[in-house]
Coordinates of all heavy atoms in Angstrom, one line a residue:
M3 N 50.9 19.6 -24.8 CA 51.6 19.0 -25.9 C 51.0 19.3 -27.3 O 51.7 19.2 -28.3 CB 51.7 17.5 -25.7 CG 52.6 17.1 -24.5 SD 53.0 15.3 -24.4 CE 51.4 14.5 -24.5
V4 N 49.7 19.6 -27.3 CA 49.0 19.8 -28.6 C 49.6 21.0 -29.3 O 49.5 21.0 -30.6 CB 47.5 19.9 -28.4 CG1 46.9 18.7 -27.9 CG2 47.1 21.1 -27.5
T5 N 50.1 21.9 -28.7 CA 50.7 23.1 -29.4 C 52.1 22.7 -30.0 O 52.5 23.5 -30.9 CB 50.9 24.3 -28.5 OG1 51.7 23.9 -27.4 CG2 49.5 24.8 -28.0
E6 N 52.7 21.6 -29.6 CA 53.9 21.2 -30.2 C 53.7 20.3 -31.4 O 54.6 20.0 -32.1 CB 54.8 20.5 -29.2 CG 55.1 21.4 -28.0 CD 55.8 22.7 -28.4 OE1 56.7 22.7 -29.2 OE2 55.4 23.8 -27.8
A7 N 52.5 19.8 -31.6 CA 52.1 19.0 -32.7 C 51.6 19.9 -33.9 O 51.4 21.1 -33.7 CB 51.1 18.0 -32.3
K8 N 51.4 19.3 -35.0 CA 50.9 20.0 -36.1 C 49.4 20.5 -35.8 O 48.6 19.7 -35.6 CB 50.9 19.2 -37.4 CG 50.5 19.9 -38.6 CD 51.1 19.3 -39.9 CE 50.8 20.0 -41.1 NZ 51.7 21.1 -41.4
W9 N 49.3 21.8 -35.6 CA 48.0 22.3 -35.2 C 46.8 21.9 -36.0 O 46.9 22.0 -37.2 CB 48.1 23.8 -35.2 CG 49.0 24.4 -34.2 CD1 49.9 23.7 -33.4 CD2 49.2 25.8 -33.8 NE1 50.6 24.6 -32.6 CE2 50.2 25.9 -32.8 CE3 48.6 26.9 -34.3 CZ2 50.6 27.1 -32.3 CZ3 49.0 28.1 -33.7 CH2 50.0 28.2 -32.8
G10 N 45.8 21.3 -35.3 CA 44.6 20.9 -36.0 C 44.7 19.7 -36.8 O 43.8 19.2 -37.4
K11 N 45.9 19.1 -36.9 CA 46.1 17.8 -37.7 C 46.6 16.6 -36.9 O 46.8 15.6 -37.4 CB 47.1 18.2 -38.8 CG 46.7 19.3 -39.7 CD 46.9 19.0 -41.1 CE 46.6 20.3 -41.9 NZ 45.4 20.3 -42.6
W12 N 46.8 16.8 -35.6 CA 47.2 15.7 -34.8 C 46.1 14.7 -34.4 O 45.0 15.1 -34.5 CB 47.9 16.3 -33.5 CG 47.0 17.1 -32.7 CD1 46.9 18.5 -32.7 CD2 46.0 16.7 -31.8 NE1 46.0 19.0 -31.9 CE2 45.3 17.9 -31.3 CE3 45.5 15.5 -31.3 CZ2 44.3 17.9 -30.3 CZ3 44.5 15.5 -30.4 CH2 43.9 16.7 -29.9
Q13 N 46.5 13.5 -34.0 CA 45.6 12.5 -33.5 C 46.1 12.2 -32.1 O 47.2 12.3 -31.8 CB 45.7 11.2 -34.4 CG 45.4 11.4 -35.8 CD 43.9 11.7 -36.0 OE1 43.0 11.1 -35.4 NE2 43.6 12.7 -36.8
A14 N 45.1 11.8 -31.3 CA 45.4 11.5 -29.9 C 46.6 10.5 -29.8 O 47.4 10.6 -28.9 CB 44.2 11.0 -29.1
E15 N 46.6 9.5 -30.6 CA 47.6 8.5 -30.6 C 49.0 9.0 -30.9 O 50.0 8.4 -30.5 CB 47.3 7.4 -31.7 CG 46.0 6.6 -31.4 CD 44.7 7.4 -31.9 OE1 44.9 8.3 -32.8 OE2 43.7 7.2 -31.3
D16 N 49.1 10.2 -31.5 CA 50.4 10.8 -31.7 C 51.2 11.0 -30.4 O 52.4 11.1 -30.4 CB 50.3 12.1 -32.5 CG 49.7 11.9 -33.9 OD1 49.8 10.8 -34.4 OD2 49.2 12.9 -34.4
F17 N 50.4 11.2 -29.3 CA 51.0 11.5 -28.0 C 51.3 10.3 -27.2 O 52.0 10.4 -26.2 CB 50.1 12.5 -27.3 CG 49.8 13.7 -28.0 CD1 48.6 13.9 -28.7 CD2 50.7 14.8 -28.1 CE1 48.3 15.0 -29.4 CE2 50.4 15.9 -28.8 CZ 49.2 16.1 -29.5
H18 N 50.9 9.2 -27.6 CA 51.1 8.0 -26.8 C 52.5 7.6 -26.5 O 52.9 7.3 -25.4 CB 50.3 6.8 -27.4 CG 48.9 6.9 -27.2 ND1 48.0 5.8 -27.4 CD2 48.0 7.9 -26.8 CE1 46.8 6.2 -27.2 NE2 46.8 7.4 -26.8
P19 N 53.4 7.7 -27.5 CA 54.8 7.4 -27.2 C 55.4 8.4 -26.1 O 56.2 7.9 -25.2 CB 55.6 7.6 -28.5 CG 54.5 7.5 -29.5 CD 53.3 8.0 -28.9
Y20 N 55.0 9.6 -26.1 CA 55.5 10.5 -25.1 C 54.8 10.2 -23.7 O 55.5 10.3 -22.7 CB 55.2 12.0 -25.5 CG 55.7 12.3 -26.9 CD1 54.9 12.3 -28.0 CD2 57.1 12.5 -27.0 CE1 55.5 12.5 -29.2 CE2 57.6 12.8 -28.3 CZ 56.8 12.8 -29.4 OH 57.4 13.0 -30.6
L21 N 53.6 9.9 -23.7 CA 52.9 9.6 -22.5 C 53.5 8.3 -21.9 O 53.7 8.1 -20.7 CB 51.4 9.4 -22.7 CG 50.7 10.7 -23.0 CD1 49.3 10.5 -23.5 CD2 50.7 11.6 -21.7
D22 N 53.8 7.3 -22.8 CA 54.5 6.1 -22.3 C 55.8 6.4 -21.5 O 56.0 5.8 -20.5 CB 54.8 5.2 -23.5 CG 53.6 4.5 -24.2 OD1 52.6 4.5 -23.6 OD2 53.8 4.1 -25.4
I23 N 56.6 7.3 -22.1 CA 57.8 7.6 -21.4 C 57.6 8.3 -20.0 O 58.2 7.9 -19.0 CB 58.6 8.6 -22.3 CG1 59.1 7.8 -23.5 CG2 59.8 9.2 -21.5 CD1 59.7 8.7 -24.6
V24 N 56.6 9.2 -20.0 CA 56.3 9.9 -18.7 C 55.8 8.9 -17.7 O 56.2 8.9 -16.5 CB 55.3 11.1 -19.0 CG1 54.8 11.6 -17.7 CG2 56.0 12.1 -19.8
F25 N 54.9 8.1 -18.1 CA 54.3 7.1 -17.2 C 55.3 6.1 -16.7 O 55.3 5.7 -15.5 CB 53.0 6.4 -17.8 CG 51.8 7.2 -17.6 CD1 51.6 8.4 -18.4 CD2 50.8 6.9 -16.7 CE1 50.4 9.1 -18.3 CE2 49.7 7.7 -16.5 CZ 49.5 8.8 -17.3
D26 N 56.2 5.7 -17.6 CA 57.2 4.7 -17.2 C 58.2 5.4 -16.3 O 58.7 4.8 -15.3 CB 58.0 4.2 -18.4 CG 57.2 3.2 -19.3 OD1 56.2 2.7 -18.7 OD2 57.6 3.0 -20.4
A27 N 58.5 6.6 -16.5 CA 59.6 7.3 -15.7 C 59.0 7.7 -14.3 O 59.8 7.6 -13.3 CB 60.0 8.6 -16.4
F28 N 57.8 8.1 -14.2 CA 57.3 8.7 -12.9 C 56.3 7.8 -12.2 O 56.1 7.9 -11.0 CB 56.7 10.1 -13.2 CG 57.7 11.1 -13.6 CD1 57.8 11.4 -14.9 CD2 58.6 11.6 -12.7 CE1 58.8 12.3 -15.3 CE2 59.6 12.5 -13.1 CZ 59.7 12.9 -14.4
G29 N 55.5 7.0 -13.0 CA 54.5 6.2 -12.4 C 53.2 7.0 -12.0 O 53.3 8.2 -11.9
V30 N 52.1 6.3 -11.9 CA 50.9 7.0 -11.7 C 50.8 7.7 -10.4 O 50.0 8.7 -10.3 CB 49.7 6.0 -11.9 CG1 49.6 5.5 -13.3 CG2 49.7 4.9 -10.9
D31 N 51.5 7.3 -9.4 CA 51.4 8.0 -8.1 C 52.1 9.3 -8.1 O 51.9 10.1 -7.1 CB 52.1 7.1 -7.0 CG 51.2 5.9 -6.7 OD1 50.0 5.9 -6.9 OD2 51.8 4.8 -6.3
R32 N 52.9 9.7 -9.1 CA 53.6 10.9 -9.1 C 53.1 11.8 -10.3 O 53.7 12.8 -10.6 CB 55.1 10.7 -9.3 CG 55.7 10.0 -8.0 CD 57.1 9.6 -8.2 NE 57.9 10.8 -8.5 CZ 59.2 10.7 -9.0 NH1 59.7 9.5 -9.2 NH2 59.9 11.7 -9.3
L33 N 52.0 11.4 -10.9 CA 51.5 12.2 -12.1 C 50.2 12.8 -11.8 O 49.4 12.3 -11.0 CB 51.4 11.3 -13.3 CG 52.7 10.8 -13.9 CD1 52.4 9.8 -15.0 CD2 53.6 12.0 -14.4
M34 N 49.9 14.0 -12.3 CA 48.7 14.7 -12.2 C 48.3 15.2 -13.6 O 49.1 15.7 -14.3 CB 48.8 16.0 -11.3 CG 49.3 15.7 -9.9 SD 49.6 17.3 -9.1 CE 50.7 16.7 -7.8
I35 N 47.0 15.1 -13.9 CA 46.5 15.6 -15.2 C 46.6 17.1 -15.1 O 46.4 17.8 -14.1 CB 45.1 15.1 -15.4 CG1 44.7 15.3 -16.9 CG2 44.1 15.7 -14.5 CD1 43.5 14.6 -17.4
G36 N 46.9 17.7 -16.3 CA 46.9 19.1 -16.4 C 47.0 19.5 -17.9 O 47.0 18.7 -18.8
S37 N 47.0 20.8 -18.1 CA 47.1 21.3 -19.5 C 47.9 22.6 -19.4 O 48.3 23.1 -18.4 CB 45.7 21.6 -20.0 OG 45.2 22.8 -19.5
D38 N 48.1 23.2 -20.6 CA 48.7 24.5 -20.6 C 47.7 25.5 -21.1 O 48.0 26.5 -21.8 CB 50.0 24.5 -21.5 CG 49.6 24.1 -23.0 OD1 48.5 23.7 -23.3 OD2 50.5 24.3 -23.8
W39 N 46.4 25.3 -20.6 CA 45.4 26.2 -20.9 C 45.8 27.6 -20.5 O 46.4 27.8 -19.4 CB 44.1 25.8 -20.2 CG 42.9 26.7 -20.6 CD1 42.1 26.6 -21.6 CD2 42.6 27.9 -19.9 NE1 41.2 27.6 -21.6 CE2 41.5 28.4 -20.5 CE3 43.1 28.6 -18.8 CZ2 40.8 29.6 -20.2 CZ3 42.4 29.8 -18.4 CH2 41.3 30.3 -19.1
P40 N 45.6 28.7 -21.2 CA 44.9 28.8 -22.5 C 45.7 28.5 -23.7 O 45.2 28.6 -24.8 CB 44.3 30.2 -22.4 CG 45.4 31.0 -21.7 CD 45.9 30.0 -20.7
V41 N 47.0 28.3 -23.6 CA 47.9 28.1 -24.7 C 47.4 27.0 -25.6 O 47.4 27.1 -26.8 CB 49.3 28.0 -24.3 CG1 50.2 27.7 -25.5 CG2 49.8 29.2 -23.5
C42 N 46.9 25.9 -25.0 CA 46.5 24.7 -25.8 C 45.4 25.0 -26.7 O 45.2 24.4 -27.8 CB 46.1 23.6 -24.8 SG 44.6 23.9 -23.9
T43 N 44.6 26.1 -26.5 CA 43.5 26.4 -27.4 C 44.0 26.9 -28.7 O 43.1 27.1 -29.6 CB 42.6 27.5 -26.7 OG1 43.3 28.7 -26.4 CG2 42.0 26.9 -25.4
L44 N 45.3 27.1 -28.9 CA 45.8 27.4 -30.3 C 45.6 26.2 -31.2 O 45.5 26.4 -32.4 CB 47.2 27.8 -30.2 CG 47.5 29.2 -29.5 CD1 49.0 29.3 -29.2 CD2 47.0 30.3 -30.3
S45 N 45.7 25.0 -30.6 CA 45.6 23.8 -31.4 C 44.4 22.9 -31.1 O 44.1 22.0 -31.9 CB 46.9 23.0 -31.2 OG 46.9 21.8 -32.0
A46 N 43.8 23.0 -29.9 CA 42.7 22.2 -29.5 C 41.9 22.9 -28.4 O 42.5 23.8 -27.8 CB 43.2 20.9 -29.0
D47 N 40.7 22.5 -28.2 CA 40.0 23.1 -27.1 C 40.4 22.4 -25.8 O 41.0 21.3 -25.9 CB 38.5 23.2 -27.3 CG 37.8 21.8 -27.4 OD1 38.3 20.9 -26.8 OD2 36.8 21.8 -28.2
Y48 N 40.0 22.9 -24.7 CA 40.4 22.3 -23.4 C 40.0 20.9 -23.3 O 40.7 20.0 -22.9 CB 39.9 23.1 -22.3 CG 40.3 22.6 -20.9 CD1 41.5 22.8 -20.4 CD2 39.3 21.9 -20.1 CE1 41.9 22.3 -19.2 CE2 39.7 21.4 -18.9 CZ 41.0 21.6 -18.4 OH 41.3 21.1 -17.2
A49 N 38.7 20.6 -23.7 CA 38.2 19.2 -23.6 C 39.0 18.2 -24.4 O 39.3 17.1 -24.0 CB 36.7 19.2 -24.0
Q50 N 39.4 18.6 -25.6 CA 40.2 17.7 -26.5 C 41.5 17.5 -25.9 O 42.0 16.4 -25.9 CB 40.4 18.4 -27.9 CG 39.2 18.4 -28.7 CD 39.4 19.3 -30.0 OE1 39.9 20.4 -29.9 NE2 39.2 18.7 -31.1
T51 N 42.1 18.5 -25.3 CA 43.4 18.4 -24.7 C 43.4 17.4 -23.5 O 44.2 16.5 -23.4 CB 43.9 19.8 -24.2 OG1 43.9 20.7 -25.3 CG2 45.3 19.7 -23.6
I52 N 42.4 17.6 -22.6 CA 42.3 16.7 -21.5 C 41.9 15.3 -21.9 O 42.4 14.3 -21.3 CB 41.3 17.3 -20.4 CG1 41.9 18.6 -19.9 CG2 41.0 16.3 -19.3 CD1 43.2 18.5 -19.1
Q53 N 41.1 15.2 -22.9 CA 40.6 13.8 -23.4 C 41.8 12.9 -23.8 O 41.7 11.7 -23.7 CB 39.6 14.0 -24.5 CG 38.8 12.8 -24.7 CD 37.9 12.4 -23.5 OE1 37.3 13.2 -22.9 NE2 37.9 11.1 -23.2
I54 N 42.9 13.5 -24.3 CA 44.0 12.7 -24.7 C 44.5 11.9 -23.5 O 44.7 10.7 -23.7 CB 45.2 13.6 -25.2 CG1 44.8 14.3 -26.5 CG2 46.5 12.8 -25.4 CD1 45.7 15.5 -26.9
V55 N 44.6 12.5 -22.4 CA 45.1 11.8 -21.2 C 44.0 10.8 -20.7 O 44.3 9.7 -20.3 CB 45.6 12.7 -20.1 CG1 46.0 12.0 -18.9 CG2 46.7 13.6 -20.6
I56 N 42.8 11.3 -20.6 CA 41.7 10.4 -20.1 C 41.6 9.1 -21.0 O 41.5 8.0 -20.4 CB 40.4 11.2 -20.1 CG1 40.4 12.3 -19.1 CG2 39.2 10.2 -19.9 CD1 39.3 13.2 -19.1
D57 N 41.7 9.3 -22.3 CA 41.7 8.1 -23.1 C 42.9 7.2 -22.9 O 42.8 6.0 -22.9 CB 41.6 8.5 -24.6 CG 40.2 9.1 -25.0 OD1 39.2 8.9 -24.2 OD2 40.1 9.8 -26.0
Y58 N 44.0 7.8 -22.8 CA 45.3 7.0 -22.6 C 45.2 6.2 -21.3 O 45.6 5.1 -21.2 CB 46.5 8.0 -22.5 CG 47.8 7.3 -22.3 CD1 48.5 6.7 -23.3 CD2 48.3 7.2 -21.0 CE1 49.7 6.1 -23.1 CE2 49.5 6.6 -20.7 CZ 50.2 6.0 -21.8 OH 51.4 5.4 -21.6
L59 N 44.5 6.8 -20.2 CA 44.4 6.2 -18.9 C 43.5 4.9 -18.9 O 43.6 4.1 -18.0 CB 43.9 7.2 -17.9 CG 44.9 8.2 -17.4 CD1 44.2 9.3 -16.6 CD2 46.0 7.5 -16.6
R60 N 42.8 4.7 -20.0 CA 41.9 3.6 -20.0 C 42.6 2.2 -19.9 O 42.0 1.2 -19.5 CB 41.0 3.6 -21.2 CG 40.0 4.7 -21.2 CD 38.9 4.5 -22.3 NE 37.9 5.6 -22.1 CZ 37.6 6.4 -23.0 NH1 38.1 6.4 -24.2 NH2 36.7 7.4 -22.8
Q61 N 43.9 2.2 -20.2 CA 44.6 1.0 -20.1 C 45.1 0.6 -18.6 O 45.6 -0.4 -18.4 CB 45.9 1.1 -21.0 CG 46.9 2.1 -20.5 CD 48.0 2.3 -21.4 OE1 48.8 1.4 -21.6 NE2 48.2 3.5 -21.9
F62 N 44.8 1.6 -17.7 CA 45.2 1.4 -16.3 C 44.0 1.0 -15.5 O 42.9 1.4 -15.8 CB 45.8 2.7 -15.8 CG 47.1 3.0 -16.4 CD1 47.1 3.9 -17.5 CD2 48.3 2.5 -16.0 CE1 48.3 4.3 -18.1 CE2 49.5 2.8 -16.6 CZ 49.5 3.7 -17.7
P63 N 44.2 0.3 -14.3 CA 43.1 0.0 -13.4 C 42.5 1.3 -12.9 O 43.1 2.4 -12.9 CB 43.8 -0.7 -12.3 CG 45.1 -1.2 -12.8 CD 45.5 -0.2 -13.9
G64 N 41.3 1.2 -12.4 CA 40.5 2.4 -12.0 C 41.2 3.2 -10.9 O 41.2 4.4 -11.0
E65 N 41.9 2.5 -9.9 CA 42.5 3.3 -8.9 C 43.7 4.1 -9.4 O 44.0 5.2 -8.9 CB 42.9 2.4 -7.7 CG 43.9 1.4 -8.0 CD 43.4 0.1 -8.6 OE1 42.2 -0.1 -8.7 OE2 44.2 -0.9 -8.8
E66 N 44.4 3.6 -10.4 CA 45.5 4.3 -11.0 C 45.0 5.5 -11.9 O 45.6 6.6 -11.9 CB 46.4 3.4 -11.8 CG 47.1 2.4 -11.0 CD 48.0 1.4 -11.7 OE1 48.1 1.5 -13.0 OE2 48.7 0.6 -11.1
Q67 N 43.9 5.3 -12.5 CA 43.2 6.4 -13.3 C 42.9 7.5 -12.3 O 43.1 8.7 -12.6 CB 42.0 5.9 -14.0 CG 42.3 4.9 -15.1 CD 41.0 4.5 -15.8 OE1 40.0 5.2 -15.9 NE2 41.0 3.2 -16.3
A68 N 42.3 7.1 -11.2 CA 41.8 8.1 -10.2 C 43.0 8.9 -9.6 O 42.9 10.0 -9.3 CB 41.0 7.4 -9.1
A69 N 44.1 8.2 -9.5 CA 45.3 8.9 -8.9 C 45.7 10.0 -9.9 O 45.9 11.2 -9.5 CB 46.5 7.9 -8.8
V70 N 45.8 9.7 -11.2 CA 46.3 10.7 -12.1 C 45.2 11.8 -12.3 O 45.5 13.0 -12.5 CB 46.6 10.1 -13.5 CG1 46.9 11.1 -14.6 CG2 47.7 9.1 -13.4
L71 N 43.9 11.5 -12.2 CA 42.8 12.4 -12.5 C 42.5 13.2 -11.2 O 41.5 14.0 -11.3 CB 41.6 11.7 -13.0 CG 41.8 11.0 -14.3 CD1 40.6 10.2 -14.7 CD2 42.1 12.0 -15.4
G72 N 43.2 13.1 -10.1 CA 42.9 14.0 -9.0 C 43.5 13.5 -7.7 O 43.8 14.3 -6.8
G73 N 43.6 12.2 -7.5 CA 44.1 11.6 -6.3 C 45.5 12.0 -5.9 O 45.8 12.4 -4.7
S74 N 46.4 12.0 -6.8 CA 47.8 12.5 -6.6 C 47.9 13.9 -6.2 O 48.6 14.3 -5.3 CB 48.7 12.2 -7.8 OG 48.8 10.8 -8.1
C75 N 47.1 14.7 -6.9 CA 47.0 16.1 -6.6 C 46.5 16.4 -5.2 O 47.1 17.1 -4.4 CB 46.1 16.8 -7.6 SG 45.9 18.6 -7.3
A76 N 45.4 15.7 -4.8 CA 44.8 15.9 -3.5 C 45.8 15.4 -2.4 O 45.9 16.1 -1.4 CB 43.5 15.0 -3.4
R77 N 46.5 14.3 -2.7 CA 47.5 13.8 -1.7 C 48.6 14.8 -1.5 O 49.0 15.2 -0.4 CB 48.0 12.5 -2.1 CG 48.9 11.8 -1.1 CD 49.4 10.5 -1.5 NE 50.4 10.6 -2.6 CZ 50.2 10.3 -3.9 NH1 49.0 9.8 -4.3 NH2 51.1 10.5 -4.8
F78 N 49.2 15.3 -2.7 CA 50.3 16.2 -2.6 C 50.0 17.5 -1.9 O 50.7 18.0 -1.1 CB 50.8 16.5 -4.0 CG 52.0 17.4 -4.1 CD1 53.3 16.9 -3.9 CD2 51.8 18.8 -4.3 CE1 54.4 17.7 -3.9 CE2 52.9 19.6 -4.4 CZ 54.2 19.1 -4.2
Y79 N 48.8 18.1 -2.3 CA 48.4 19.4 -1.7 C 47.6 19.2 -0.4 O 47.2 20.2 0.2 CB 47.6 20.2 -2.7 CG 48.5 20.7 -3.8 CD1 48.4 20.1 -5.1 CD2 49.4 21.7 -3.6 CE1 49.2 20.6 -6.1 CE2 50.2 22.2 -4.6 CZ 50.1 21.6 -5.9 OH 50.9 22.1 -6.9
R80 N 47.4 18.0 0.0 CA 46.7 17.7 1.3 C 45.3 18.3 1.3 O 45.0 19.1 2.3 CB 47.6 18.0 2.5 CG 48.8 17.3 2.6 CD 49.7 17.6 3.7 NE 50.9 16.9 3.6 CZ 51.8 16.8 4.6 NH1 51.6 17.3 5.7 NH2 52.9 16.1 4.4
I81 N 44.6 18.1 0.3 CA 43.2 18.6 0.2 C 42.2 17.5 0.1 O 42.6 16.3 -0.2 CB 43.1 19.6 -1.0 CG1 43.4 18.9 -2.3 CG2 43.9 20.8 -0.8 CD1 43.2 19.7 -3.5
G82 N 41.0 17.8 0.4 CA 40.0 16.7 0.4 C 40.0 15.9 1.6 O 40.3 16.3 2.7
N83 N 39.6 14.6 1.4 CA 39.5 13.7 2.5 C 40.7 12.9 2.8 O 40.7 11.7 3.2 CB 38.3 12.8 2.3 CG 37.0 13.5 2.3 OD1 36.8 14.5 3.0 ND2 36.0 13.1 1.4
Q84 N 41.8 13.5 2.6 CA 43.1 12.8 2.8 C 43.4 12.7 4.2 O 43.2 13.6 5.0 CB 44.2 13.5 2.0 CG 44.0 13.6 0.5 CD 44.0 12.3 -0.1 OE1 44.8 11.5 0.1 NE2 42.9 12.1 -0.9
K85 N 44.0 11.5 4.6 CA 44.4 11.3 6.0 C 45.8 12.0 6.2 O 46.6 12.0 5.2 CB 44.5 9.9 6.3 CG 43.1 9.2 6.3 CD 43.2 7.7 6.6 CE 41.8 7.1 6.6 NZ 41.9 5.7 6.8
P86 N 46.1 12.5 7.3 CA 47.4 13.2 7.5 C 48.6 12.2 7.4 O 48.5 11.1 7.5 CB 47.4 13.8 8.9 CG 46.1 13.2 9.6 CD 45.3 12.6 8.5

């Protein structure tokens, strides 16, 4: 999303209304963190891009944060210590 905002002039909070819609529509169990790297580096570095979501997730309980930050991905792709 950072490449769709004013390059180098956006604030993390600018993305909150869009994240609100996505989280309301899909819920934490169906979301996975990601980026459009390397395209995002036109407007922000990778760490800044990912930090937007990490900071947004602070409003959620730990287990919901963990789902978005890797748990949903592991479950979907059946990797890690997931039960069948």
Side-chain angles (χ1 to χ4, degrees):
M3 293 191 307
V4 294
T5 55
E6 300 304 314
K8 189 155 179 89
W9 292 7
K11 304 226 186 256
W12 55 264
Q13 299 293 315
E15 297 79 25
D16 297 339
F17 302 102
H18 287 192
Y20 305 101
L21 291 168
D22 288 342
I23 291 169
V24 170
F25 276 75
D26 287 343
F28 296 102
V30 296
D31 291 332
R32 293 175 56 198
L33 293 173
M34 302 174 201
I35 195 167
S37 75
D38 63 348
W39 183 90
V41 177
C42 68
T43 60
L44 293 169
S45 182
D47 63 33
Y48 181 76
Q50 290 172 307
T51 302
I52 294 300
Q53 196 64 46
I54 293 168
V55 177
I56 291 171
D57 290 343
Y58 180 83
L59 284 170
R60 288 193 176 126
Q61 66 185 299
F62 296 95
E65 63 276 0
E66 292 181 359
Q67 292 178 32
V70 175
L71 296 175
S74 297
C75 179
R77 188 181 69 252
F78 181 82
Y79 291 106
R80 298 179 185 195
I81 56 176
N83 295 327
Q84 300 298 311
K85 295 179 182 178

